[in-house]
Amino acid sequence: MKHTEAWKRSSPDEIKIGLISISDRASKGIYTDEGVPALRGWLESALSTPYVFHERLIADEREVITETIVELTDDLGCDLVLTTGGTGPSRRDVTPEATMDAGTREMPGFGEQMRQISLRFVPTAILSRQTAVLREIEGHTALVINLPGQPKSIK
């Protein structure tokens, strides 16, 4: 695969991270998104290597979520994509399905571990449907992980 200018890195150690907040209301401007700022803040405090973020705020629409994951991994070369929102049991919550559509292999241990940890603090965590996948294209593999929609749960 021929990589575009968007794939260039400022250093060999730089990690490209896609941050996607999935919210119908925030994407329409009904309220301010807190998901991407929470993800960014946590990562900035945790990372010691060079990084660059590519951020998106989108509606909870299966095709849009899948297309956004593909854009971040295939077009921009993100190594890691974190989503927040859309993992609950309601019919509008389609992030896990959209993530599976974008993935080439499921990584079920991530969702299992996140639910296990969350259950220590919130009894309804068992209702969360986070998942993780690898998206593999020629010459590149990215990890995509769904995180909860509540900013306090992201940590």
Side-chain angles (χ1 to χ4, degrees):
M1 168 177 224
K2 190 173 188 178
H3 298 159
T4 65
E5 285 292 310
W7 280 69
K8 290 202 175 184
R9 298 173 191 268
S10 62
S11 76
D13 296 334
E14 181 182 80
I15 183 171
K16 290 182 158 226
I17 303 172
L19 305 177
I20 307 173
S21 186
I22 300 159
S23 169
D24 289 328
R25 292 178 287 169
S27 68
K28 292 177 184 171
I30 295 171
Y31 63 78
T32 303
D33 174 57
E34 296 178 356
V36 163
L39 286 171
R40 187 182 339 103
W42 184 83
L43 286 165
E44 287 171 343
S45 70
L47 293 173
S48 60
T49 60
Y51 57 86
V52 63
F53 295 131
H54 294 282
E55 301 174 0
R56 302 290 185 271
L57 172 58
I58 60 174
D60 203 342
E61 298 289 341
R62 187 170 178 165
E63 297 79 20
V64 173
I65 298 166
T66 301
E67 289 169 5
T68 303
I69 292 169
V70 170
E71 175 216 355
L72 291 169
T73 58
D74 297 16
D75 299 343
L76 298 177
C78 287
D79 306 292
L80 173 66
V81 175
L82 301 175
T83 71
T84 179
T87 60
S90 96
R91 290 184 182 183
R92 290 289 306 147
D93 292 329
V94 295
T95 300
E97 290 79 11
T99 300
M100 295 296 288
D101 292 344
T104 51
R105 287 193 286 163
E106 186 178 9
M107 303 294 287
F110 283 92
E112 293 166 8
Q113 184 66 31
M114 287 185 283
R115 279 184 291 281
Q116 189 68 26
I117 292 168
S118 295
L119 277 169
R120 297 179 193 154
F121 306 100
V122 183
T124 57
I126 197 69
L127 299 174
S128 187
R129 301 180 315 113
Q130 294 108 293
T131 192
V133 300
L134 293 178
R135 175 154 178 87
E136 301 160 304
I137 60 172
E138 186 179 334
H140 184 65
T141 299
L143 177 62
V144 182
I145 304 174
N146 302 149
L147 297 174
Q150 293 296 320
K152 64 182 178 184
S153 299
I154 289 171
K155 291 181 182 179

